[in-house]
Amino acid sequence: MARPPGRRDQRRPGTGRPQRRPHVPPHELFAERLLAVLSGHRPVHWMLGQTIGVAYEQLVRLAPGTPLRARGARPVIRACRGFQPRSGVVEASASIAAGEQVRAMAFRLERGADLRWRCAAVELGGERIPAGASGA
């Protein structure tokens, strides 16, 4: 096959290997998503299709105070661990740092019949928001 006139590039289309995305465990992916909401970088409704049960209500109550926002420092996940008590369930914890402040976040993921993971509960800094608790 001849090169077009003036072309000096020796590469051919399709000769490179496709880049594979590294596997990211679901608890690490959700830790990032929850951090984005609880730090004010994403709106709560961004998690609508990714939550079940009381988790969305918990986010609605937690997010307005943007508890993971720090002045001048973007929060980052220092560590994230997951435990699978049974098939289709992951209970996870994450350590989040923002400047000098370090907070803990715990959450539960459940895998649905469609094989998608969804957040079923979230707690922040040991303060649990019970289901049905009033906002006022």
Side-chain angles (χ1 to χ4, degrees):
M1 205 163 144
R3 288 188 306 240
R7 180 172 173 194
R8 298 190 194 288
D9 190 351
Q10 297 293 324
R11 294 176 295 168
R12 297 278 181 231
T15 58
R17 297 177 81 189
Q19 294 292 325
R20 259 201 169 162
R21 260 181 86 185
H23 173 72
V24 179
H27 61 279
E28 290 181 12
L29 184 65
F30 271 84
E32 292 287 346
R33 291 174 182 174
L34 292 168
L35 175 61
V37 170
L38 295 173
S39 64
H41 290 96
R42 291 282 188 168
V44 177
H45 68 266
W46 184 61
M47 292 292 293
L48 260 174
Q50 302 173 62
T51 57
I52 56 173
V54 298
Y56 187 76
E57 288 179 33
Q58 291 169 329
L59 284 174
V60 166
R61 289 188 182 100
L62 285 170
T66 54
L68 297 179
R69 174 174 280 167
R71 292 188 180 118
R74 185 175 182 125
V76 294
I77 296 173
R78 291 176 52 183
C80 185
R81 292 180 175 82
F83 170 71
Q84 196 165 7
R86 67 174 194 265
S87 181
V89 174
V90 174
E91 293 182 350
S93 63
S95 170
I96 298 162
E100 296 292 319
Q101 181 183 18
V102 177
R103 300 283 303 263
M105 178 172 63
F107 55 98
R108 178 183 175 96
L109 302 178
E110 295 181 7
R111 195 173 205 172
D114 61 358
L115 302 180
R116 290 181 54 210
W117 290 98
R118 291 181 179 84
C119 183
V122 62
E123 295 180 16
L124 190 59
E127 296 177 27
R128 185 168 178 242
I129 298 179
S134 66

